[in-house]
Amino acid sequence: MRVFVTGASGWIGSAAVDELQAGGHAVTGLARSDAAAAALQAKGVLVRRGDLDDLDSIRFGAANADAVVHLANKHDFSNPAVSNAAERAAVQTIGDALAGSNRPFLFAAGVAGLTQGRPSAETDVSPFNGPDSPRGGAENLAFEFADRGVRVVSLRFAPTVHATGDHGFISVIAAIARQRGVSGYPADGTNRWAAVHRSDAARLIALGLAKAASDDGAAGLTLHAVAEEGIASRQIAEAIGRTFDLPVASIDPTDVADHFGWIGTFFGLEMSATSTATQQLLGWQPTGPTLIEDLAAGAYSVRTPATA
Ligand SMILES: NC(=O)c1ccc[n+]([C@@H]2O[C@H](COP(=O)([O-])OP(=O)(O)OC[C@H]3O[C@@H](n4cnc5c(N)ncnc54)[C@H](OP(=O)(O)O)[C@@H]3O)[C@@H](O)[C@H]2O)c1
């Protein structure tokens, strides 16, 4: 298939592109910079230049592909309204471009806020609706296109898609531990985060595309890119402490925002999730290292994220 990938140069996107190419797909990637375009071209990806604000470019890319995998995100965590609006606009644009075509549309989502007091499952419907909600309510917006002839697939990633080179949440938390000289965890550290290795997440995307494209592909599918149901924030902090030889301490809830900055809100969230249904549906079995194994192996020892 000709697959249009937004965020093709990103952490998950670049691994997904490799997986799609290995599966024989011809990938076109959206690139907003010369550097991203060059990196994509170097591995044989066709480049469509454009930005998330350039909806004409996204529309053209989607309309001229057999399937779309949307992974780009502005990730403006200090001003989430900006990212949310862009996410909603991109989903609306891609959905409109694919309407009536029966083509697959896979897009990134998360597991935060889906349930209270238990791990989320694929059957849990997102409570987020409308432009002012997290991720701009894009998951529910996308599923509206399932009734308009689009094979919609929500890729709900665990809050950490980990591996060596990750610049996501765990990398930021590790950088804060090094800056502060203490590896902190919020409150009693019992809240849990689901996790998945980047290689497993990339494989899941390719399998999800194949499922959506197949004759029995469901019109609306929710997949959980989750290998580990939940790792307590205290365990994460302890593993970071061992990695960098730092003391480990509870951070009082009243000090969490000051200690961790913007990521404090996320680190204190319960974000556990299961993937039983996804594994059964796709025959997907995560095989990558666990988060704690990656931390112990030094996956977070090198890179200092610019966002920390
Ligand atoms: N990583 C995780 O742990 C995780 C967990 C849950 C959900 N997710 C979601 O999964 C998706 C992919 O995440 P990721 O970790 O791969 O993110 P990432 O590494 O930050 O990559 C983001 C991608 O979006 C592109 N991008 C950013 N701003 C753009 C703009 N204005 N116009 C066009 N492209 C733009 C980036 O291009 P450049 O290369 O030019 O910067 C990059 O290709 C996102 O929606 C994210 O929220 C990720």
Side-chain angles (χ1 to χ4, degrees):
M1 275 184 280
R2 296 168 306 148
V3 187
F4 179 51
V5 181
T6 74
S9 54
W11 173 242
I12 299 173
S14 52
V17 165
D18 294 345
E19 199 69 42
L20 292 170
Q21 288 183 313
H25 299 295
V27 178
T28 298
L30 183 74
R32 60 173 172 158
S33 69
D34 291 344
L40 291 174
Q41 276 164 345
K43 50 187 193 179
V45 171
L46 279 173
V47 170
R48 161 145 287 280
R49 289 300 294 256
D51 190 82
L52 275 172
D53 294 325
D54 180 0
L55 295 176
D56 285 340
S57 181
I58 292 174
R59 187 177 299 111
F60 186 90
N64 288 282
D66 301 315
V68 177
V69 180
H70 168 54
L71 300 169
N73 195 291
K74 290 189 175 182
H75 284 158
D76 188 343
F77 292 111
S78 56
N79 189 4
V82 170
S83 308
N84 295 345
E87 178 64 1
R88 190 173 178 87
V91 164
Q92 180 77 52
T93 301
I94 295 166
D96 282 336
L98 298 181
S101 69
N102 275 327
R103 287 182 244 154
F105 172 22
L106 289 73
F107 65 96
V111 300
L114 296 174
T115 53
Q116 299 289 327
R118 65 170 173 81
S120 64
E122 292 85 341
T123 46
D124 290 311
V125 175
S126 168
F128 304 126
N129 287 291
D132 297 330
S133 53
R135 297 188 76 88
E139 182 175 87
N140 284 323
L141 175 66
F143 279 127
E144 290 178 17
F145 288 96
D147 297 329
R148 292 178 54 196
V150 181
R151 294 189 172 182
V152 179
V153 182
S154 176
L155 302 164
R156 288 183 182 164
F157 296 107
T160 171
V161 180
H162 56 89
T164 301
D166 180 15
H167 56 249
F169 288 167
I170 295 296
S171 168
V172 175
I173 292 165
I176 289 167
R178 277 176 285 165
Q179 283 164 10
R180 297 271 183 198
V182 59
S183 181
Y185 56 86
D188 64 0
T190 55
N191 69 294
R192 299 191 305 156
W193 278 25
V196 66
H197 193 268
R198 182 189 187 217
S199 58
D200 290 321
R203 206 155 38 81
L204 176 72
I205 293 170
L207 288 171
L209 174 61
K211 183 71 181 168
S214 68
D215 286 339
D216 61 346
L221 207 57
T222 300
L223 301 178
H224 275 198
V226 167
E228 296 182 85
E229 178 177 309
I231 305 128
S233 59
R234 180 175 181 155
Q235 274 181 279
I236 295 172
E238 287 170 349
I240 291 171
R242 283 194 296 276
T243 301
F244 299 108
D245 198 18
L246 293 169
V248 179
S250 163
I251 306 299
D252 190 87
T254 56
D255 296 329
V256 161
D258 181 52
H259 183 91
F260 291 105
W262 63 265
I263 206 166
T265 314
F266 293 100
F267 200 23
L269 283 181
E270 172 63 31
M271 291 196 275
S272 55
T274 62
S275 62
T276 312
T278 299
Q279 295 195 34
Q280 283 171 357
L281 183 75
L282 300 180
W284 173 70
Q285 280 199 323
T287 56
T290 65
L291 173 63
I292 300 299
E293 284 169 353
D294 256 355
L295 277 160
Y300 290 83
S301 301
V302 182
R303 187 167 175 157
T304 303
T307 43

